[in-house]
């Protein structure tokens, strides 16, 4: 089974809202045992290029998916290891989620999306913790509102090793 390494960004604004990207389910990724929804929300991010480390990929993916460049990077908050079906093939997915704070007000844009991302990424939105808690939308990672509450309680300075997430 091949491994797909990825980096995601828990991007917070000055009001402690998290930026989420709305994806259209395109049948590429299937988590066994999880219901398939037409759309789901996830923090920006994606796979590592061959010559990248996780943080380099996070920087590139943040630019590609949002156009946001002025951020203060924090630690790796979470890791996720999951066996999924990717394009019909079994794949082990290993992701790291990095904390970042947006500096000032920056417009989010779709201008840097890769051509294949234009179809799958349909929206973006800043979410408050209260909105995450109240939402009936499919949010990833699982338990995002509780995870974000822990980050905010630590004032964005979590200590220790990254927390291992479940699918």
């Amino acid at each position: 089974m091949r491994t797909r390494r990825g980096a995601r960004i828990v991007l917070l604004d000055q009001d402690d809202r998290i930026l989420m990207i709305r994806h259209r389910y395109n049948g590429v990724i299937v988590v066994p045992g999880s219901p398939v929804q037409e759309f789901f929300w996830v923090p920006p991010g994606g796979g590592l290029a061959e010559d990248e480390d996780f943080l380099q990929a996070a920087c590139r993916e943040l630019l590609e998916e949002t156009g946001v460049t002025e951020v203060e990077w924090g630690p790796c908050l979470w890791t996720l290891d999951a066996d999924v079906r990717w394009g019909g093939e079994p794949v082990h997915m290993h992701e790291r989620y990095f904390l970042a704070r947006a500096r000032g007000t920056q417009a989010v844009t779709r201008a840097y999306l890769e051509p294949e991302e234009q179809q799958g990424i349909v929206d973006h939105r800043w979410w408050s913790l209260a909105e995450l808690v109240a939402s009936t939308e499919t949010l990833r990672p699982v338990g995002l509102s509780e995870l974000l509450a822990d980050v905010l309680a630590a004032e964005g300075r979590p200590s220790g090793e990254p927390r291992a997430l479940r699918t």
Side-chain angles (χ1 to χ4, degrees):
M1 178 182 307
R2 81 175 170 92
T3 296
R4 180 185 186 274
R5 299 181 317 146
R8 298 212 166 270
I9 304 93
V10 177
L11 181 63
L12 302 178
D13 70 4
Q14 63 274 12
D15 297 321
D16 287 337
R17 297 178 304 166
I18 184 173
L19 183 65
M20 299 287 284
I21 304 290
R22 188 176 194 209
H23 285 264
R24 179 183 319 278
Y25 172 74
N26 58 9
V28 173
I29 305 171
V30 177
V31 179
S34 294
V36 175
Q37 303 293 325
E38 183 177 2
F39 298 101
F40 62 96
W41 293 88
V42 66
L48 275 65
E50 191 173 306
D51 60 341
E52 290 180 316
D53 65 28
F54 286 94
L55 188 54
Q56 289 169 331
C59 293
R60 178 185 49 77
E61 287 288 341
L62 186 61
L63 171 64
E64 286 179 8
E65 293 189 355
T66 70
V68 174
T69 58
E70 297 297 317
V71 299
E72 180 181 331
W73 288 97
C76 177
L77 298 170
W78 314 315
T79 61
L80 176 65
D81 283 283
D83 292 334
V84 301
R85 298 210 47 91
W86 190 289
E89 169 191 5
V91 172
H92 179 76
M93 186 171 62
H94 175 73
E95 291 187 329
R96 293 186 187 176
Y97 289 74
F98 291 91
L99 178 63
R101 283 262 182 201
R103 292 190 199 134
T105 303
Q106 299 175 62
V108 177
T109 180
R110 297 172 50 87
Y112 300 101
L113 289 175
E114 298 283 328
E116 63 274 5
E117 293 174 320
Q118 292 284 345
Q119 296 294 323
I121 294 176
V122 295
D123 200 4
H124 65 272
R125 178 178 162 201
W126 292 98
W127 294 70
S128 70
L129 180 57
E131 290 168 330
L132 290 176
V133 169
S135 179
T136 59
E137 299 273 349
T138 302
L139 305 170
R140 297 284 184 253
V142 171
L144 179 61
S145 59
E146 294 87 4
L147 294 165
L148 183 58
D150 290 346
V151 170
L152 296 176
E155 297 179 359
R157 294 185 295 280
S159 59
E161 292 296 311
R163 180 175 172 180
L165 302 180
R166 59 185 170 81
T167 54

